[in-house]
Amino acid sequence: MNILTCVKRVPMTGGTIVLTADEQAIETRHLGFTISPHEECGIEEAVRLVEAHGGESVVLTLGPAEAEEQLRDCMAIGAARAIHLVTDGEEWDPQATAAAIAAAIHADGTAFDLILFGNESADAGNYQVAIRVAYALGLPVVSGIKGISVADGQVRCERESNGGRDVYEVPLPAVVSVLEGLNLPRYPSVPGRMRAKSKPVAASTPPRRESRLARRRLVVPAGQGKQAEILGHGPDAAPRVVEILQQIGLL
Amino acid sequence: MAVLVVIEHVDGEPTEPSLQALTFARGYAVDGAPGEPVHALAVGLAPRGLGELGVGTVHLAEHDAFGSYAPAAVARSVVETIQRLAPSVVVAAGSELGNEVMAHVAAMLDLPLAANCISASGDEVTRIRWGGSLLEEATVHSDVVLLTVQPHAVAIEKAPVGEPAVERFTPDLLPADLAVRVTDRVEAAADGVSLADAKIVVSAGRGAGSAEGFGIIEELAALLGGAVGCSRAVTMSGWRPHTDQVGQTGTKIAPEIYIASGISGATQHMAGCKGAKKILAINTDPDAPIFASADYGVIGDLREVVPAISAEIRRVKGA
C-alpha cells in the first residue's frame, strides 16, 4: 500500500518563548527544529504499515527551504521519497496550506491508499488541515486516532473516548489524523541517515491562496513571570513540603 | 445578526466546554450589541437547561443516523442551519469533537475557522498556539465567523431567558456524510486513579534516570492517593507508557497539586499542567524554567528529595 504522511517543521521551543521584534514569529536563531509530535507517530506508523503490507511511504511538507532537514529525518526513519512545497518561510493559513497539499497530491499522481496527518500542529494548532485536504480530494477522514490496522481494503481506527475507545472502519483510500501515543517512534539509525541523503526530494513552489485567517501579531501570555517560593534544598526540605500538603488539605 | 452555538451533550446533558462556549458567544459583540438571545444547535436530543444560559431557540437536528457519532453528519446539520439562519458567527467548544465538527463545517463551506479562541470581537479573534504558551491575534476574513472556544478560557455564567423554542429539522445527509461513523467500541479496564481526574499528580522527567527510577515516584503517589505522570522525554525513552505523559500532546491534568520532579518546564510539558491549582517543582537546577511557573520549589535531586518526602509523610501519618 502507498502511504503519504504530511509533516510540519516547527521549532523546539524549550522553556520560554521569545518573539521577533515585529511580533510575527518566534525568535528561532538559537533553536533547533523538529516536526510535530503527532506527526512523528504518523511517520513511524507509515513505515510499519509498509513493512507489513509492502508499497511505498512518502513524506510531504509545506515549508521553507530549511524544512528539507525534516524531510531527510523522516526518510532516515524509512520514507522512500519526499515532496517539498517550498514557501518563503512565512506561515500559510490552513485553507492555503490544504489547497496546496491537495494540489500536490493530484500532481504527484500516486494512488495513495492512506494519507496521514498529525491531528494538529504543535505550533499553530488549527485542527483542520487534514479535514480540508480530505474534502478537496473527496476522501473520508477520521480524526484523533491512536490505533490503526489495515485489512481487506479497510482501515480500522481507534480513538480514545470516555475511558474506552471508539472504533471507525473506513474503506481505503482515506485520510487519517493521528495522535501521539499511536506508537513509540524509532530514532533514525546512522545507516538510515546515510541512505536518506541520496533519497529523492521533489521540490516545487506552489501558488499561495490569500490568507483568510490572517495573523496580526503574536503575544506571549502574561502570568509566566511567577517565581516559586523555595522551600529548601535537598532532603531537608521534606518537612516543609509535607506542611504545604497539610495546608492544602491533602494529608 | 444571529449568533449560533453548537452544543455537545451526553444524553441531553450539555458538556462543560459547550456551556463555556455559550457564555463566550453571548458576550460576542455583534454590531456592537451583545446580549441578544443566541441560537443553539444540537443533534439527537434537545439539551437541558439552555434557557438558563441565554438561548432563545434550539435548532434540533433529528435523524436515524445520529445513534452513533458521525462527524460529517453533525457538520451537515450545522451547515444547513447556517444556510437557513444566516448567522454572523458560529461558535462551538474547542473540544476534540467540537474542533472536528467545525473543521468539517469549514471544509464543506470553504470558510476560514479560528480554533481555540480565548476572546473575540467582530472578525478579530485571539486564539492559542503551542497549547496556550503563545497567543495569536488574527482577523477572520469571512461573512460568517466560524470559531471554537478554548476549554476553561471563560467561566460559565447564567443569563435566564425562559424556556427556549425548539425548532426540529431533519438534515438532508449525503451518503458521504455517514461514511465515517463509530461502528464499535472497546472498553478499557479501569485501573486506579485516572491521570486527567487525579487530585494529586506526582511526576518525573529525565531526572528519574531510568524506568526503575520511577519506583520512588510511584511510592509517593501511592502514599498521597495520587496518579503518576511523566514528561515526553520519559515516554520517548520507553520508560513509561504514553498514557502517563503530561503535556501538550499528552494528558491535560487539573489536580489540587502537581509535584513535578526532574522536569525542566518546556512549553510542551507546561501546556499539560496549566490546570493545576498548585505546582511544586523539584529540580537540581535553580534556573530551570519550571520555577517560573511553579508555586513552590525544592532545589535538589529528586532521587534524594522524593524518598525524603515519602518518609516524612509516613512519620506524620504514624504520629
Side-chain angles (χ1 to χ4, degrees), chain B residues 79 96 98 144 151 189 230 299:
Chain B
V79 166
E96 207 184 317
V144 190
C230 70
I299 315 292

Side-chain angles (χ1 to χ4, degrees), chain A residues 6 18 24 49-50 66 88 189 194 202 210 222 227 230 234 244:
Chain A
C6 299
V18 178
Q24 292 299 309
L49 285 168
V50 166
E66 294 80 5
D88 61 1
S189 63
M194 295 305 292
E210 202 178 335
Q227 200 56 46
I230 300 301
I244 297 285

Side-chain angles (χ1 to χ4, degrees), chain A residues 228-247:
Chain A
E229 174 193 345
I230 300 301
L231 304 176
H233 290 71
D236 295 346
R240 279 286 288 137
V241 170
V242 171
E243 266 177 47
I244 297 285
L245 293 174
Q246 286 171 323
Q247 273 171 27

Side-chain angles (χ1 to χ4, degrees), chain B residues 219-242:
Chain B
E219 181 192 21
L220 178 56
L223 275 170
L224 291 167
V228 173
C230 70
S231 70
R232 181 163 186 263
V234 166
T235 319
M236 296 305 275
S237 301
W239 299 349
R240 302 292 295 185
H242 186 266

Side-chain angles (χ1 to χ4, degrees), chain B residues 120-140:
Chain B
S121 175
D123 58 3
E124 299 196 342
V125 301
T126 301
R127 57 179 301 274
I128 67 158
R129 294 170 71 100
W130 291 101
S133 301
L134 188 61
L135 304 179
E136 169 185 4
E137 296 176 357
T139 304
V140 184

Side-chain angles (χ1 to χ4, degrees), chain B residues 2 85 92 120-121 183 261 287 294-295 308:
Chain B
L85 193 65
S121 175
T183 51
S261 62
D287 296 322
D295 299 274

